[in-house]
């Protein structure tokens, strides 16, 4: 394992401007106090708006299920599926073109992997995450006090200065060195690298989904729709996902009920009974960003956007949207869910 020294170092990354993204795809290791308020969004009754909106399609999907049920997972039907888009928002992300892929039936976790679930794995496997071995991870500025931000100003990503490299931050201390997992057991585990995610999935007898599988699941049987439920961001003027409201990066209004991450069972988003496919935290997939990349820590595709996304600068909470980080990267808005062959 390489040792990285960051004292007095500012990461020099080509800036694309606030209008393009929140900068979290730049949080790559190869380049060079927890607030009391947590999400109190309703977990059960909050999904009644979904049933009203999609009820008939949901019953059709249940009638088609033939494979045995697996607790905590949804069966995603295979077939010839459209992924990508011919109307990309970020050409550099290679969202285009729309294309057909053939998939077998598979299972996908209904929820992002939670802190409680990851803790079971760590205990059983005596596992240490890469962030713990490196001794640091990336943290968003609003989780740091002004004094901390001043002290760590030389440890920012130059083109995304709201991201700080902070020693002692890991999945156990997700929102700062002094933070803990108290009241966060059912929030998604974060500060996990792609390799950490693969290790967890393997331990659980599962695997990471491919990008095509993830996107097929996100679309919920629909084609050419922006979001898992359709094209309208807020059907019936209700929030369906955890993203940023307000002025970035200073003032998240938390109108969706969550200032940071929300519990993994908060927003049910489509007929496949999947939660938080878009928003909340980015999710690792198994795919290489560049299939020819044979470097020690290649970029892997991540999907879904996070609670730090907003249309004005990071409109990546769409099913077709995509981004990347190196395999050993970790951050406070990056997690995963697992898949399994049917």
């Amino acid at each position: 394992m390489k040792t990285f020294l960051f004292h007095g170092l500012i990461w020099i990354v080509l800036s694309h401007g606030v209008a393009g993204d929140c900068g979290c795809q730049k949080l790559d290791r190869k380049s060079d106090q927890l607030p009391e308020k947590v999400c109190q969004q309703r977990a059960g009754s909050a999904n009644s708006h979904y049933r009203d909106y999609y009820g008939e399609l949901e019953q059709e999907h249940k009638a088609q299920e033939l494979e045995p049920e697996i607790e905590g997972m949804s069966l995603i039907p295979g077939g010839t599926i459209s992924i990508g888009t011919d109307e990309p928002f970020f050409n550099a992300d290679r969202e285009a073109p729309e294309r057909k892929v053939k998939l077998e039936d598979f299972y996908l976790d209904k929820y992002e992997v939670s802190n409680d679930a990851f803790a079971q794995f760590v205990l059983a496997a005596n596992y240490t995450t890469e962030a713990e071995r490196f001794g640091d991870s990336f943290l968003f500025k609003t989780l740091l006090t002004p004094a901390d931000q001043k002290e760590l100003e030389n440890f920012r990503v130059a083109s995304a200065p709201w991201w700080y490299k902070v020693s002692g931050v890991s999945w156990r201390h997700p929102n700062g060195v002094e933070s803990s997992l108290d009241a966060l057991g059912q929030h998604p585990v974060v500060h996990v690298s792609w390799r950490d995610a693969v290790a967890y999935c393997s331990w659980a007898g599962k695997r990471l989904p491919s990008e095509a599988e993830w996107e097929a699941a996100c679309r919920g049987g629909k084609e050419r729709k922006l979001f898992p439920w359709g094209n309208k961001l807020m059907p019936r003027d209700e929030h369906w996902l955890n993203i940023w409201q307000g002025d970035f990066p200073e003032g998240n209004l938390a109108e969706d009920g969550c200032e940071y991450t929300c519990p993994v069972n908060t927003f049910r988003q489509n007929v496949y009974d999947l939660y938080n496919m878009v928003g909340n935290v980015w999710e690792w997939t198994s795919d290489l960003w560049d299939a020819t990349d044979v470097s020690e820590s290649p970029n892997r595709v991540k999907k879904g956007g996070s609670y730090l996304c907003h249309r004005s600068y990071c409109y990546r909470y769409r099913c077709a949207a995509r981004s990347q980080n190196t395999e050993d990267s970790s951050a406070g808005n990056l997690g995963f869910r697992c898949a399994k062959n049917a």
Side-chain angles (χ1 to χ4, degrees):
M1 182 67 67
K2 296 182 179 179
T3 301
F4 293 80
L5 299 177
F6 296 103
H7 298 291
L9 177 65
I10 298 178
W11 290 271
I12 306 300
V13 186
L14 182 62
S15 176
H16 297 291
V18 174
D21 56 71
C22 68
C24 58
Q25 82 275 21
K26 304 178 179 73
L27 311 184
D28 298 335
R29 294 186 181 279
K30 71 178 182 181
S31 66
D32 271 355
Q33 293 283 1
L34 178 63
E36 291 296 326
K37 178 180 179 181
V38 295
C39 177
Q40 300 297 327
Q41 188 81 14
R42 297 163 296 167
S45 60
N47 298 310
S48 60
H49 70 288
Y50 173 89
R51 291 189 292 272
D52 292 341
Y53 192 72
Y54 253 165
E56 292 184 5
L57 183 57
E58 182 175 23
Q59 293 304 316
E60 290 177 9
H61 171 67
K62 288 183 176 180
Q64 294 170 357
E65 292 183 353
L66 299 176
E67 299 286 348
E69 291 186 4
I70 298 179
E71 183 178 0
M73 303 191 83
S74 290
L75 176 66
I76 312 300
T80 301
I81 311 294
S82 295
I83 64 170
T85 178
D86 288 331
E87 299 179 351
F89 284 86
F90 300 105
N91 286 309
D93 288 353
R94 291 176 282 180
E95 296 176 2
E98 180 180 294
R99 55 208 179 273
K100 300 285 188 180
V101 295
K102 186 172 179 58
L103 298 175
E104 300 295 329
D105 293 357
F106 67 98
Y107 292 95
L108 188 69
D109 284 349
K110 295 180 179 182
Y111 315 107
E112 294 154 336
V113 174
S114 69
N115 286 311
D116 282 350
F118 196 77
Q120 294 178 16
F121 155 65
V122 168
L123 181 63
N126 193 27
Y127 187 81
T128 303
T129 63
E130 290 202 285
E132 290 172 298
R133 294 198 294 272
F134 278 114
D136 49 40
S137 188
F138 287 98
L139 199 65
F140 193 70
K141 66 174 294 182
T142 56
L143 290 165
L144 296 168
T145 67
D148 289 337
Q149 293 178 37
K150 179 65 175 177
E151 181 180 350
L152 296 169
E153 64 181 354
N154 289 333
F155 295 82
R156 295 175 295 169
V157 177
S159 60
W162 41 84
W163 283 107
Y164 290 75
K165 194 88 166 181
V166 182
S167 296
V169 171
S170 71
W171 78 275
R172 300 178 188 272
H173 307 285
N175 294 337
V177 179
E178 301 299 324
S179 71
S180 71
L181 296 178
D182 291 347
L184 298 178
Q186 286 304 302
H187 284 238
V189 64
V190 292
H191 300 294
V192 285
S193 71
W194 182 86
R195 296 163 185 164
D196 298 331
V198 168
Y200 173 94
C201 291
S202 178
W203 170 81
K206 303 177 184 180
R207 58 177 174 80
L208 283 177
S210 68
E211 180 180 12
E213 287 175 330
W214 189 101
E215 190 167 331
C218 182
R219 293 183 181 277
K222 293 178 171 288
E223 292 193 3
R224 299 184 180 90
K225 299 298 183 182
L226 293 172
F227 312 117
W229 55 87
N231 283 330
K232 188 175 181 180
L233 180 63
M234 294 180 61
R236 301 185 179 180
D237 293 323
E238 295 184 321
H239 292 282
W240 285 51
L241 75 170
N242 176 18
I243 55 176
W244 189 281
Q245 294 92 39
D247 295 329
F248 181 86
E250 302 295 343
N252 186 356
L253 300 177
E255 293 170 343
D256 54 20
C258 304
E259 187 174 3
Y260 301 108
T261 60
C262 68
V264 297
N265 63 345
T266 302
F267 292 103
R268 186 173 188 252
Q269 293 179 336
N270 68 19
V271 69
Y272 294 156
D273 202 22
L274 301 174
Y275 293 70
N276 297 317
M277 286 295 288
V278 292
N280 212 28
V281 295
W282 284 97
E283 299 181 12
W284 288 113
T285 74
S286 62
D287 285 29
L288 287 165
W289 182 258
D290 181 349
T292 66
D293 190 346
V294 294
S295 62
E296 181 180 349
S297 190
N299 280 289
R300 295 284 178 170
V301 176
K302 62 180 184 178
K303 300 281 283 185
S306 80
Y307 74 91
L308 295 174
C309 288
H310 187 277
R311 177 160 184 158
S312 66
Y313 60 88
C314 185
Y315 190 34
R316 290 182 173 86
Y317 44 91
R318 297 168 289 113
C319 293
R322 58 202 304 267
S323 191
Q324 85 287 343
N325 281 116
T326 54
E327 286 185 0
D328 57 0
S329 297
S330 62
N333 68 337
L334 180 54
F336 68 101
R337 74 180 72 212
C338 304
K340 187 180 181 70
N341 294 344

